[in-house]
Amino acid sequence: MLRRVASHLFWTARNLERAEWRARLADVNYHLLVESPAASSDGWLPLLAITGERAEFSARYPAADEQSVLEFFTIDEKNPSSIRSCIGLARENCRALRNHISSEMWFEVNTLYLDAQRWSAATFHEYGVYEFFFELRERFYRIAGVVRNTMPRELGYDFLTVGRTLEAAENVSRLLDVKYHFLLPRPNDVGSPLDLSQWAAVLRSASALEAYIGTYGNAIRIDKVVEFLLFDETFPRAARFCIDRLEAALERIAAGGGEGESVPGARMLASRLRSGSASAVLGGGLHEYLLGVQEDCARISDEMFARYLRFE
Amino acid sequence: MQLAHCMMLRLSHGERLSGLGSEMPGDALPMSSAVPFSAAYRPLAGLFDEMFLEDGRARPGCEPIAQAIRSSPDLAVLQAMAERMLLRTGVTFNVYGERAGTERIFPFDVIPRIIDAATWQTLEAGLIQRVKALNAFVADVYGEGHILKDCVVPRDLILGSPQYRRGAIGLRPPHGVFITVAGIDLVRGADGRFRVLEDNVRTPSGVSYVIENRLMLTRLMPELLRECRVRSVEHYPADLLESLTELAPEGVERPTIALLTPGPYNSAFFEHVFLSQRMGVELVEGRDLVCIDHKLYMKTVHKLKQVHVLYRRIDDDFLDPVVFRPDSLLGVPGLTAAMHADSVAVANGIGTGIADDKAVFAYTPQMICYYLGEQPILPIVETFLLRDPEVRSKILRDLDRYVVKPTGASGGYGVVIGPRASDRELAEARERIESNPSGFVAQPMVKLSTHPTLITDEKGAPTPVPRHVDLRPFVLTGARPRVLAGGLTRVALREGSLIVNSSQGGGSKDTWVLDGPC
């Protein structure tokens, strides 16, 4: 497989994952604000904090009202991380991959791209925010489905997995980082009703609420949320689950080239997550731990690019 | 009639198809009863019609499809289905300079163009003969130069041509093949005789449409295809792969082959994807390749993998920045040197443009005699070199009767059609010729043959009417020649237009070469 092809696959998966993630974040935040109007005056700011876009947003939009944030977050083409931009990038990568992906996958990505071209500021009014994100998420599920059902489990699929899992692990770690910072300003707040709904929303952002309840029951405790989203080995959006898959994919890639060992960063992060626990992490400083996770993710990306993907 | 039956079958199938595709608005099929096809198709007087004689009878071999045109109300339905299928499957060409959704479909006409077995037999022999001579010519020009020494083709015409490439001097590709893929444009004048209008021996495109068009009609009129015993076109990618394999450097048993594309923004990208996919070879861009020690490699995830045959779909100028345009990012530095080291074969070879130069074209009949000792089977459209003062003054006197073409360009660029040009356009053409006489040739205007083509009339009803067509057959050369049965029939969809290029309102048809006598 060409390095360029592998790199297109990586970026396709990464951008699709990012777009889907943002759709879910925006959707959950919208619901949260509908349910707790008290928090809604600057209720859209945390969203921008999670994605690290506050500065860029404020530079171009006067106020962080719902319409502005949704526009910036979703359809603004000047924002390279808006959902529309991510879909566009995924599609550009897919276009060069026509020989390497199923026609079904191309069709789904291309159709989503063509639809996204028609989005405008009025779209949220026309559709309703709820309908808009509901349908958008369905589209991403459809893409995930055709990828799973039509792509052979070969080298190419491994690079798709690497792109997707790396993005997902980074996202969940940023989510926890920011939410913890925002939601625990005062120790007294712990256990209050607002807090609970906020943490339920965190879980919902990762589509994890039902799975969490299945594992820990319906009492939402902050340490259990951290445990679940970081260290659960069965839940697909948990950081550990993602990095386990990432490590396995990178090991297959390395084995395919007769290399003794896969990229070191992946093995390190995987073993770190396997041996981690919420109590240790919360005791030693969650923020520092999550920063470490994000640095490891960046390192994996660098190592992998140098080894397999850089071609120019 | 059998055909009516088959169309009914297809119709119900089509309705099922459209029911599935809820993603496209306006999907409903047109009502077949609304299409009055009983009106007889009338060939235009003084022109050769591909399907009908002047008295209205169908030409031999064309009866079944002619019958279908005269009697069936369902062609319009098939046409609508065809257009929808093209959009869905993404058989598109790119339009330059537009933003989102730049892919367009190449208009397709469902009425196939028929070539009977005997006519094709002659065409095929003529095409093989022609490409053989063109290959010999290119090898000679960059080798010993016999044809120049013997003054059959003027030396200054060759050395002065913008298509002459010094980098090709001394290349000796396997089997002497420089031109692996040739697209020869043929036209049929009022006398019905096929003539060569021009050769395309650099990176001719269009063959993917031939295969896609057939796939379309296989779905839409399978019974008719079988009844007419039409020769298959689907083995073209396999033939191309075989031809490329035969060009591998000596001693390479199982060569690695790659198709070099300028990338997703190129107008023919769809075809590059299509052919590489069908051949099962890697589709590469220049940045995927690297030359080390006069060998060509592609950069794979785990290692460098040597490439032995490169089917390139980018122009000479961009192929190797060391030898050609230094600013090109599309090519591979050092590729020419690797070719000279015989470690890689590049198809088509560099410098082949010297054989489709519009001025050199005038000498192609002589080349056939010179290299093969044979008379040309296919005549060419008479071509006058304007660098000759006597010829020039004669042509300039009657410029409004000729078609003037710049010698270096292709794709219809810069062509002036005398009989259709305004006085001002003629004056400008005259000026350009006077200031650079060797940059132009003139040909008499060929009244292209016509073919029934489904056009929507002012009442919105699709009706078969005569439209001008040409034909681009494809000739492959590896260890031996292989000709694709038929080729791309292009049709000028605008009434009276003689320009078949897709960029200027052209469309295409499936070309049916009949197998055996009719």
Side-chain angles (χ1 to χ4, degrees), chain A residues 8-22:
Chain A
H8 285 311
L9 286 164
F10 174 85
W11 285 117
T12 296
R14 185 143 202 179
N15 279 295
L16 286 173
E17 176 64 28
R18 184 170 300 177
E20 181 186 343
W21 169 251
R22 291 172 71 95

Side-chain angles (χ1 to χ4, degrees), chain B residues 448-495:
Chain B
L448 299 189
S449 58
T450 59
H451 197 290
T453 301
L454 218 53
I455 299 287
T456 305
D457 66 15
E458 61 274 10
K459 287 181 215 119
T463 312
V465 291
R467 287 291 183 264
H468 294 292
V469 293
D470 78 348
L471 178 67
R472 175 180 287 183
F474 291 88
V475 183
L476 297 170
T477 311
R480 62 182 177 85
R482 299 169 173 90
V483 186
L484 175 66
L488 182 64
T489 291
R490 293 185 297 179
V491 52
L493 296 173
R494 284 202 278 267
E495 187 170 7

Side-chain angles (χ1 to χ4, degrees), chain A residues 1 4 92 95 99 253 311, chain B residues 264-265 276 288 299 301-302:
Chain A
M1 169 168 291
R4 180 176 52 81
E92 275 319 288
R95 216 161 111 72
N99 274 2
I253 292 168
F311 59 94
Chain B
Y265 298 101
S276 62
D288 294 320
K299 303 172 207 169
V301 166
H302 294 298

Side-chain angles (χ1 to χ4, degrees), chain B residues 133-196:
Chain B
L134 292 176
N135 254 314
F137 172 70
V138 178
D140 187 21
V141 160
Y142 296 115
E144 309 283 318
H146 293 297
I147 201 166
L148 309 179
K149 286 174 194 149
D150 292 340
C151 300
V152 177
V153 177
R155 183 180 294 270
D156 66 315
L157 187 68
I158 301 304
L159 299 185
S161 165
Q163 293 307 320
Y164 181 75
R165 297 279 180 272
R166 294 195 168 277
I169 297 172
L171 279 178
R172 292 179 176 280
H175 309 289
V177 174
F178 277 80
I179 303 166
T180 310
V181 184
I184 310 295
D185 288 353
L186 303 177
V187 294
R188 227 169 175 180
D191 61 357
R193 207 163 165 205
F194 275 103
R195 286 183 171 78
V196 181

Side-chain angles (χ1 to χ4, degrees), chain A:
Chain A
M1 169 168 291
L2 291 175
R3 290 181 156 239
R4 180 176 52 81
V5 167
S7 131
H8 285 311
L9 286 164
F10 174 85
W11 285 117
T12 296
R14 185 143 202 179
N15 279 295
L16 286 173
E17 176 64 28
R18 184 170 300 177
E20 181 186 343
W21 169 251
R22 291 172 71 95
R24 228 172 21 242
L25 271 188
D27 184 35
V28 169
N29 203 61
Y30 174 75
H31 279 95
L32 186 65
L33 295 181
V34 171
E35 284 160 22
S36 51
S40 63
S41 63
D42 54 358
W44 285 95
L45 285 177
L47 193 67
L48 298 171
I50 293 167
T51 55
E53 294 170 320
R54 279 179 81 157
E56 205 195 328
F57 174 84
S58 328
R60 287 197 285 117
Y61 291 79
D65 55 279
E66 180 173 298
Q67 177 70 24
S68 301
V69 175
L70 283 178
E71 241 180 88
F72 172 80
F73 205 73
T74 309
I75 61 174
D76 189 338
E77 278 178 305
K78 288 198 201 108
N79 175 5
S81 297
S82 73
I83 294 175
R84 172 145 69 186
S85 296
C86 289
I87 291 170
L89 286 168
R91 191 259 191 182
E92 275 319 288
N93 279 286
C94 276
R95 216 161 111 72
L97 282 174
R98 293 280 296 267
N99 274 2
H100 298 272
I101 59 177
S102 60
S103 53
E104 287 89 345
M105 179 176 170
W106 163 250
F107 182 87
E108 289 300 335
V109 174
N110 192 42
T111 311
L112 176 58
Y113 162 80
L114 292 173
D115 290 349
Q117 294 307 296
R118 292 200 294 267
W119 294 348
S120 73
T123 303
F124 298 111
H125 297 299
E126 286 160 13
Y127 267 79
V129 177
Y130 172 80
E131 281 297 331
F132 178 82
F133 285 112
F134 182 84
E135 197 183 302
L136 188 53
R137 273 164 39 204
E138 299 264 292
R139 303 291 290 272
F140 288 117
Y141 293 146
R142 213 149 80 191
I143 293 173
V146 293
V147 170
R148 210 192 62 176
N149 289 336
T150 63
M151 293 290 293
R153 300 303 192 265
E154 294 173 339
L155 193 54
Y157 192 86
D158 284 333
F159 280 109
L160 284 173
T161 304
V162 168
R164 181 175 52 78
T165 52
L166 198 57
E167 177 71 22
E170 272 197 65
N171 287 339
V172 81
S173 110
R174 293 188 67 96
L175 172 74
L176 274 178
D177 198 8
V178 172
K179 282 297 177 185
Y180 197 76
H181 177 74
F182 267 87
L183 298 182
L184 278 182
R186 297 179 297 271
N188 299 353
D189 283 350
V190 178
S192 75
L194 171 70
D195 192 43
L196 273 186
S197 77
Q198 292 270 12
W199 281 102
V202 170
L203 285 167
R204 239 188 279 124
S205 302
S207 306
L209 185 60
E210 288 107 333
Y212 172 91
I213 293 171
T215 308
Y216 295 110
N218 60 3
I220 296 176
R221 285 175 44 184
I222 288 160
D223 57 338
K224 294 296 179 202
V225 173
V226 170
E227 182 81 35
F228 191 71
L229 288 183
L230 276 185
F231 303 121
D232 195 88
E233 60 177 309
T234 62
F235 183 65
R237 293 198 181 277
R240 167 159 178 204
F241 184 98
C242 291
I243 297 299
D244 279 351
R245 297 303 178 281
L246 174 90
E247 189 196 22
L250 283 170
E251 262 166 21
R252 279 192 299 275
I253 292 168
E259 297 159 19
E261 294 201 317
S262 71
V263 297
R267 281 180 287 125
M268 248 181 52
L269 180 56
S271 78
R272 196 200 299 221
L273 288 170
R274 275 197 284 271
S275 61
S277 74
S279 55
V281 165
L282 288 170
L286 180 64
H287 178 64
E288 285 67 29
Y289 184 84
L290 292 173
L291 268 188
V293 170
Q294 283 161 41
E295 276 162 17
D296 281 356
C297 287
R299 182 176 159 196
I300 293 168
S301 178
D302 288 347
E303 288 171 351
M304 193 194 46
F305 264 84
R307 214 192 261 201
Y308 305 118
L309 303 183
R310 191 158 295 139
F311 59 94
E312 281 178 303

